Amino acid sequence: MPTVDDIAALLDDLFPPALAEEWDNVGLLVGDRRASVERLMTCLTLTPDSVDEAVARRVSLVVSHHPLPFKPLKRLTTDTVEGALLWRLAGAGVAVYSPHTAFDSAEHGINRRLADALGLRVVGPLLPKPDSPEVGAGRVADAASGATADGLAATAKSALGLASVRIVARADQPITRIGLACGSGASLLDAAIASGCDALFTGEATFHSCLAAEAQGVALLLLGHYASERFAVEALAEQLASELTSAEVWACGAEHDPLRTV
């Protein structure tokens, strides 16, 4: 039976913590490294729903893409939602590992997987790491000949099972090179432009980021934060299940996108 430390080491190899952004909090965040792992659950975010499932199904380790805790805590009490979730997990003996931006930027991380899901040919990272130019934040990919903003949106809807994609661009705006930045990736708009991209796929963007993209003639395709990352959490569960044959592994079933379209 693998231990928490065994699985943390495996995840560190897949998504090296050195790839994480400086402001991030990645790695093993809660738990006893010596504890055995019989059941492992992946999720995008630790919420009351995902924690309920972890505790009810007696999970030993949760691999949550978004870290909890994220910022340093001065106290751990049930006075806040974050504190209550952490207190409950610790009380139930559930360890927490978060790969977050290391997962985003790894060679076979979320942004690479997103490009693959959309059938795009990856050129390289949007912001390469100086010592490892094949990895880094975001990805740059070439679009197929004749690609348009609405055509790419349709591809994303089909590939990710989306009801809609929000677009900043003309329907027939031609696209040749695409930036990809999962989650809240609009901060990479300038990097995408510098890389010669005329479109950026991301999860969400502020109104002013949308205006900036429009002013510079760059198509912005917003998949939704949840949709741009949750698929990779499901794929990670399948990958870990194949490697950890003595443990039960699954992606959280209770997790859902808090936003819906009406």
Side-chain angles (χ1 to χ4, degrees):
M1 189 68 64
T3 65
V4 168
D5 194 51
D6 292 333
I7 298 173
L10 171 62
L11 292 165
D12 284 350
D13 285 341
L14 290 172
F15 317 120
L19 296 179
E21 299 298 324
E22 292 182 1
W23 46 260
D24 206 359
N25 189 29
V26 302
L28 184 65
L29 307 183
V30 177
D32 179 357
R33 290 185 179 274
R34 299 166 298 177
S36 296
V37 177
E38 297 181 15
R39 284 168 292 278
L40 183 155
M41 184 181 82
T42 66
C43 67
L44 184 61
T45 310
L46 285 166
T47 65
D49 286 339
S50 56
V51 169
D52 281 348
E53 182 174 337
V55 173
R57 295 189 62 176
R58 295 180 292 116
V59 165
S60 312
L61 172 64
V62 172
V63 179
S64 172
H65 182 55
H66 297 135
L68 188 72
F70 176 53
K71 296 180 179 180
L73 299 174
K74 291 185 177 181
R75 56 183 59 84
L76 181 57
T77 72
T78 59
D79 294 340
T80 64
V81 172
E82 181 183 56
L85 293 176
L86 287 169
W87 186 257
R88 190 170 181 214
L89 288 167
V94 181
V96 177
Y97 182 103
S98 173
H100 203 206
T101 52
F103 190 7
D104 294 343
S105 298
E107 183 176 2
H108 298 288
I110 295 182
N111 286 309
R112 175 57 190 260
R113 296 180 191 213
L114 181 58
D116 290 345
L118 298 175
L120 302 173
R121 186 180 71 83
V122 171
V123 176
L126 272 173
L127 290 175
K129 291 288 183 180
D131 54 344
S132 302
E134 72 282 1
V135 295
R139 287 295 182 272
V140 178
D142 286 334
S145 177
T148 63
D150 274 18
L152 287 169
T155 298
K157 287 173 64 176
S158 175
L160 300 178
L162 305 180
S164 63
V165 173
R166 304 176 75 189
I167 307 175
V168 177
R170 300 189 324 272
D172 62 348
Q173 182 167 326
I175 306 298
T176 57
R177 176 158 283 194
I178 303 165
L180 300 105
C182 63
S184 300
S187 61
L188 293 180
L189 176 61
D190 287 343
I193 294 170
S195 297
C197 297
D198 45 24
L200 176 65
F201 268 110
T202 188
E204 59 184 351
T206 67
F207 176 71
H208 292 288
S209 293
C210 292
L211 290 177
E214 183 179 54
Q216 297 180 83
V218 177
L220 200 58
L221 296 98
L222 307 179
L223 306 174
H225 196 129
Y226 181 89
S228 73
E229 296 179 334
R230 165 68 193 197
F231 78 97
V233 167
E234 295 170 359
L236 178 59
E238 294 177 2
Q239 180 179 355
L240 292 176
S242 69
E243 298 195 30
L244 304 170
T245 55
S246 61
E248 182 183 0
V249 182
W250 71 94
C252 179
E255 191 164 55
H256 61 278
D257 192 336
L259 296 172
R260 63 187 183 92
T261 302
V262 297

